[in-house]
Amino acid sequence: MNTSSSVARVAAPVTYRCDDYVLYRDPEKFWLGKPGHTVVCRVDGVIPFSSGEIRYTLVRLDSTGGLIKQARAPYMRLLPPADAMRDIDIAPLGTATDAADMTPAAVAWLTAQTATVSRRPGLPRV
């Protein structure tokens, strides 16, 4: 008797929030072998049901920009900010490259880091 499991691991249930970036796979298109079944989206709305299930309204970030209504969490995966920002986080700071060669986002991040390092931490001003 084979004791190894052939069942694929399923990700633990996740609750998403508005403005999270996710990868969404349309299960119907996927199982029918149609193209365009997986897209990057931003969570635009959270729809709780009385049964306890939560569904989501997603905005496609591709050229169509359309909405995906009532998307189910098992077909979504969070796109972590750390992955999107990794190139900035590991960028070498002591190179001879000119700051103009860096993307504006990298310059903004470095400027913010320099501002927080050069002053004493304190309570935020209200």
Side-chain angles (χ1 to χ4, degrees), residues 8-124:
R9 289 186 186 164
V10 177
V14 175
T15 302
Y16 301 97
R17 298 177 305 190
C18 282
D19 294 328
D20 278 347
Y21 290 94
V22 297
L23 197 60
Y24 171 72
R25 175 164 284 162
D26 182 318
E28 187 173 319
K29 284 183 179 179
F30 176 77
W31 290 117
L32 293 175
K34 294 181 179 178
H37 54 70
T38 305
V39 293
V40 176
C41 301
R42 182 179 48 80
V43 177
D44 191 56
V46 179
I47 309 158
F49 286 80
S50 59
S51 65
E53 182 182 16
I54 297 174
R55 294 204 182 183
Y56 302 90
T57 300
L58 307 176
V59 176
R60 295 173 60 115
L61 298 181
D62 59 7
S63 60
T64 67
L67 289 179
I68 298 171
K69 297 181 179 181
Q70 299 210 12
R72 295 175 50 213
Y75 297 100
M76 298 164 54
R77 295 294 182 267
L78 184 64
L79 295 174
D83 290 347
M85 302 305 287
R86 182 171 288 122
D87 61 333
I88 292 174
D89 293 340
I90 62 172
L93 299 178
T95 63
T97 59
D98 185 13
D101 295 337
M102 298 175 136
T103 64
V107 173
W109 183 86
L110 291 170
T111 302
Q113 293 304 308
T114 303
T116 56
V117 169
S118 63
R119 65 179 165 80
R120 291 183 60 191
L123 295 174

